Amino acid sequence: MPVPDVMLISPPDYNTREFRGAQPLGIAYLASTLRTQGNVSCRLLDANVDGPTPIDQVTAEVIAFVEEVRSTGGHPVVGISTVSQVIKTVVVLADRIKAAFPDTLIILGGYHPTFAHREILRDFPSVDICVRGEGEQTLLEIMCHWQEVWQQNRAENDLSHIRWDHIAGVSWRDGEKIVANSSRPNARDLDLVPFPARDLLPGLASYPVYNDTVSGTVRLRVSLMSSRGCPFSCSFCSIITFYGDGGGKPWRGRSVENVVAEMIEVADTLGAGHFEFQDDNFFVRPERAQAIVEGYAATGRDFSFAFLTRADQIVRGESYFPALRDAGLRYVSVGIESGSEASLKRMVKETSVELNRKALKILHDNDVAAQVEFIMFEPGSALGDLQDNLQFLEEQGLFGYFPPLIFGGLLLFPGTPIRQKIARERGTTGSIHSNLPYSFQDGRVTQVFDLLRAFEMSMGPQWFDVSFALLDGIPTMEIELSANGESQSDAERLRALAEMKLEFFALTRIPYNLLRRGLAQVANEGSISQRELLDGSWRDQQEIMERVQQLQAFLPEVN
C-alpha cells in the first residue's frame, strides 16, 4: 500500500468533559475531496475516538507518519483541524513536528485559523499556512502546488522559497511579511462535495453506540451534515462570521436525494442505524427535514435519528413532529440558552422564555427527548437572571439534567460578536488565542459562579465519571433485560436497574441542589459560605457513591 501524501488530524480536546465521540467530519470531507478530485491520498487521525489521546501518543503517531513518508522519498504534510479550545495543544504538536523534521509542511484550518490567521503566523513559527473558511478546494490546491514544487525540485528543503499567493483562502509568510490572500467563495452546490471518507476513520463500533430504548435496539451511530451555516446571528456564535467571509447565503442545504444517498451508503457499508445530523441548524426548512427522513424510511431500512435546532423553529415547525417521530426521531438538541428574558435579549437570541417553554412541551408531547443547550452565566448576568434560570429549570423538569446545564458559561472566543463588543467597550482584546475573560458587575453572581467552579474542581471528576458510567450503562442494561424478557433469573438485575435509576437521579441533582442553596444564601445574607455548602454536597455525594459501588457489578460493559 502506498504511503499517504498527507495526514489530517482532529486534535485531542482535553477541556470538553462532555465530549461524546462524534466522528470528525471536517477532516473526512477534506480527505474525500483530495482523493477524488486530486488523486491525493490521506491518513486520518481522530485523537478523540476513545477519549482524548495523550499528547505524547499523538506526537508519536504523527512523527511515525512523517518518517514513513520521508523514507519513501516523499515530502510530508500535516493538516490540523483547529478550534479555539484546542489551539494550545495544536501548537505543542506543531512545535514537536517541526523540531524533529523542519521540512514538514504544517497547515492549520478551521474556526480559529479563520479568525486568527495573522496572529497564528505571527506567534507560532511552526505553522506554515492557515486555511480560512471552507477548506476542501483550498487544501486541494495547496496539495497540488506542493507536489508540483517538489516534482520540479525547486524547494531545496527550504519551505520559505515556496509561494502561495495564487491560492484563495490561504494566509502564509512571504519572508517576514504575513500575506492574507483573497477569500475563497463558499461552495454553492454542496451536492458536488464528495461524501466524507469515513473508511479512513475508525469503524463505527469504536464510537459510542446509541441505545435506542424505544425499539430495544443498540444502534451504531453515524454523524452526518446535510447543510452548512445558520441564518441566525446569536451574539455568542461564530458560525455567521466563519462563513461570512466567503460570501453567499448564510445557510446552504444539500438536496434531499443527495442526503438520502449518503444515509443508504453508510447503512449498507458501515452498518449505521442511528443518524445524528450535526448541521448547525437542521430544521431551517422543516419540509426538507421531513423529506430526508421519510425518503430514507421509504427504503425499508430500520433506523432512528436526531438533530439540532432552535426553540422558535420547533414552535414554527410543530406540525411536522408527529411525522418525524413516526419516522424515527428520538431526540432534538435544542438551543434554549436561558430562562431569563433579559439574558436572551443580551445574547441576541431572538427567542423568548415562552417560546422555550412551548418548544420543550412540543417535544414532550411528541415523545421526543430534548437535549438542552443552556448558558447559565453570561457577561451581563445579574442575580435575578440566575434565579430566573433556576426557576425555569425546575418548572421544565430539567433540575438534575445531565450533563449539567448550570455549569455552562458563555465563552468569548474569536469570531463571536459578543467578544468584539466587549473588547471594544474595554479597549482591549486580550490574547486572541484564549477565551476573553470577563467579570460580573454583580458580586453575588461572582460568588455563585465561584461556588460551582469549586464543585467542578474538587468533586467534579469523580462525580462526572460515575454519572457517565450510569448514563451509558443503564440504557444498555435496560435493552439487554428487555431482550431476555422478565425471566426469574433476571429478577435481581431488574431490581438493581431500578435502584441505579434512582441513584443516577439523586447523583445528578447534587450540583443543582448546591446552586439552589447558594442562590438562597446569597440572596438572603449577601454572601455564600462556600466551604459549608461544598461539605454538604460532598457528604451527599459520598453516600450515593457507596450505594452505587454496590450496584456497579450489574452494569454491562459499554464502548
Side-chain angles (χ1 to χ4, degrees):
M1 180 178 294
V3 178
D5 301 294
V6 57
M7 172 178 273
L8 301 177
I9 303 169
S10 176
D13 181 356
Y14 303 117
N15 301 314
T16 309
R17 188 182 296 275
E18 289 86 359
F19 181 80
R20 303 299 288 155
Q23 293 174 295
L25 293 183
I27 60 174
Y29 269 116
L30 294 172
S32 64
T33 298
L34 288 176
R35 72 182 179 186
T36 58
Q37 298 182 17
N39 197 28
V40 176
S41 61
C42 302
R43 182 171 297 168
L44 301 186
L45 173 58
D46 180 0
N48 293 289
V49 64
D50 191 23
T53 307
I55 188 63
D56 289 346
Q57 183 178 334
V58 177
T59 302
E61 288 192 50
V62 179
I63 294 297
F65 163 79
V66 172
E67 291 175 334
E68 185 181 7
V69 173
R70 289 167 58 88
S71 70
T72 62
H75 305 282
V77 178
V78 174
I80 311 175
S81 178
T82 308
V83 293
S84 298
Q85 292 93 320
V86 299
I87 182 61
K88 294 179 181 178
T89 300
V90 168
V91 171
V92 169
L93 180 59
D95 286 346
R96 291 181 176 185
I97 298 168
K98 279 292 187 182
F101 299 103
D103 58 344
T104 302
L105 182 68
I106 298 182
I107 307 168
L108 302 194
Y111 273 72
H112 195 73
T114 296
F115 307 133
H117 50 104
R118 291 187 180 275
E119 292 84 354
I120 288 173
L121 294 171
R122 179 196 67 196
D123 299 338
F124 309 129
S126 56
V127 178
D128 298 301
I129 295 176
C130 287
V131 172
R132 311 191 312 271
E134 293 182 337
E136 288 90 356
Q137 292 302 313
T138 304
L139 184 58
L140 176 62
E141 292 183 20
I142 289 172
M143 289 303 300
C144 290
H145 183 57
W146 175 253
Q147 293 175 339
E148 178 185 347
V149 165
W150 286 105
Q151 286 170 1
Q152 297 177 4
N153 296 316
R154 292 194 309 220
E156 300 177 356
N157 294 324
D158 185 355
L159 303 188
S160 65
H161 291 175
I162 304 177
R163 299 191 61 82
W164 307 96
D165 48 330
H166 62 292
I167 302 177
V170 163
S171 295
W172 56 292
R173 295 187 197 87
D174 184 5
E176 296 297 318
K177 180 182 178 183
I178 294 173
V179 180
N181 295 352
S182 61
S183 300
R184 181 178 296 274
N186 293 329
R188 292 186 178 182
D189 187 353
L190 296 181
D191 283 8
L192 298 179
V193 181
F195 296 162
R198 291 187 177 87
D199 58 299
L200 301 180
L201 292 170
L204 295 186
S206 299
Y207 294 88
V209 298
Y210 174 60
N211 293 297
D212 186 0
T213 55
V214 174
S215 65
T217 306
V218 178
R219 302 184 187 274
L220 292 181
R221 183 194 315 240
V222 71
S223 304
L224 285 96
M225 290 281 289
S226 81
S227 65
R228 293 182 181 180
C230 177
F232 296 91
S233 302
C234 302
S235 68
F236 54 83
C237 182
S238 57
I239 292 170
I240 287 290
T241 312
F242 180 79
Y243 291 109
D245 198 39
K249 298 179 180 179
W251 180 89
R252 291 151 293 143
R254 296 162 55 191
S255 70
V256 171
E257 295 75 16
N258 186 254
V259 178
V260 172
E262 183 182 357
M263 296 170 74
I264 292 172
E265 178 180 290
V266 295
D268 291 352
T269 61
L270 303 178
H274 179 74
F275 301 95
E276 280 197 341
F277 289 96
Q278 294 186 342
D279 305 38
D280 299 316
N281 195 333
F282 180 72
F283 213 47
V284 170
R285 296 178 182 171
E287 69 282 359
R288 172 182 172 275
Q290 181 176 336
I292 288 172
V293 296
E294 290 188 343
Y296 182 73
T299 68
R301 293 169 173 83
D302 180 52
F303 74 108
S304 58
F305 70 99
F307 62 83
L308 179 150
T309 191
R310 292 163 49 97
D312 52 345
Q313 290 182 293
I314 291 174
V315 174
R316 284 197 293 268
E318 178 178 4
S319 62
Y320 290 88
F321 278 91
L324 293 174
R325 176 62 179 79
D326 288 344
L329 179 61
R330 294 295 185 262
Y331 54 92
V332 172
S333 181
V334 53
I336 294 295
E337 316 309 357
S338 182
S340 161
E341 294 288 357
S343 186
L344 289 171
K345 288 179 181 177
R346 285 191 294 269
M347 291 188 285
V348 196
K349 188 64 185 177
E350 299 182 48
T351 58
S352 67
V353 175
E354 182 58 29
L355 278 174
N356 287 342
R357 292 193 186 101
K358 287 181 179 178
L360 292 174
K361 185 176 187 302
I362 289 168
L363 295 178
H364 179 269
D365 290 347
N366 285 280
D367 193 26
V368 175
Q371 286 192 346
V372 177
E373 304 294 332
F374 205 78
I375 299 174
M376 187 73 187
F377 298 90
E378 44 91 11
S381 290
L383 186 64
D385 298 312
L386 303 188
Q387 293 168 330
D388 287 346
N389 281 339
L390 178 61
Q391 181 179 348
F392 177 85
L393 297 177
E394 291 174 328
E395 290 175 349
Q396 298 304 310
L398 297 171
F399 192 87
Y401 181 97
F402 185 83
L405 304 175
I406 58 175
F407 294 156
L410 192 150
L411 301 177
L412 304 181
F413 282 126
T416 57
I418 193 167
R419 178 184 174 119
Q420 297 170 0
K421 177 179 181 293
I422 289 180
R424 285 196 305 270
E425 292 173 351
R426 290 185 183 178
T428 180
T429 60
S431 171
I432 198 170
H433 305 306
S434 301
N435 170 43
L436 185 66
Y438 56 88
S439 56
F440 306 105
Q441 292 185 348
D442 189 333
R444 295 172 298 177
V445 174
T446 303
Q447 291 187 60
V448 177
F449 181 86
D450 291 344
L451 175 67
L452 295 180
R453 289 298 168 270
F455 174 90
E456 285 191 281
M457 293 294 292
S458 62
M459 300 166 58
Q462 183 188 32
W463 181 83
F464 268 105
D465 288 345
V466 176
S467 297
F468 270 126
L470 293 172
L471 179 71
D472 292 334
I474 287 173
T476 302
M477 186 173 175
E478 196 167 20
I479 290 174
E480 288 182 0
L481 290 169
S482 176
N484 295 338
E486 296 188 10
S487 64
Q488 188 67 30
S489 61
D490 285 329
E492 188 177 9
R493 295 189 71 201
L494 284 168
R495 284 195 298 272
L497 175 63
E499 290 178 24
M500 276 188 276
K501 288 181 177 180
L502 291 174
E503 298 301 350
F504 178 72
F505 180 72
L507 188 65
T508 57
R509 289 170 67 92
I510 287 177
Y512 290 84
N513 283 323
L514 178 65
L515 171 65
R516 178 190 279 162
R517 294 166 188 149
L519 281 174
Q521 193 173 88
V522 78
N524 294 329
E525 303 173 20
S527 62
I528 286 177
S529 302
Q530 186 180 108
R531 187 69 268 157
E532 176 187 339
L533 293 177
L534 288 174
D535 286 345
S537 295
W538 174 256
R539 288 191 295 271
D540 293 342
Q541 178 168 311
Q542 291 307 111
E543 291 177 5
I544 297 170
M545 294 291 188
E546 289 176 7
R547 296 194 296 268
V548 168
Q549 190 171 13
Q550 298 174 10
L551 297 168
Q552 282 187 315
F554 293 97
L555 281 176
E557 292 186 6
V558 294
N559 67 333

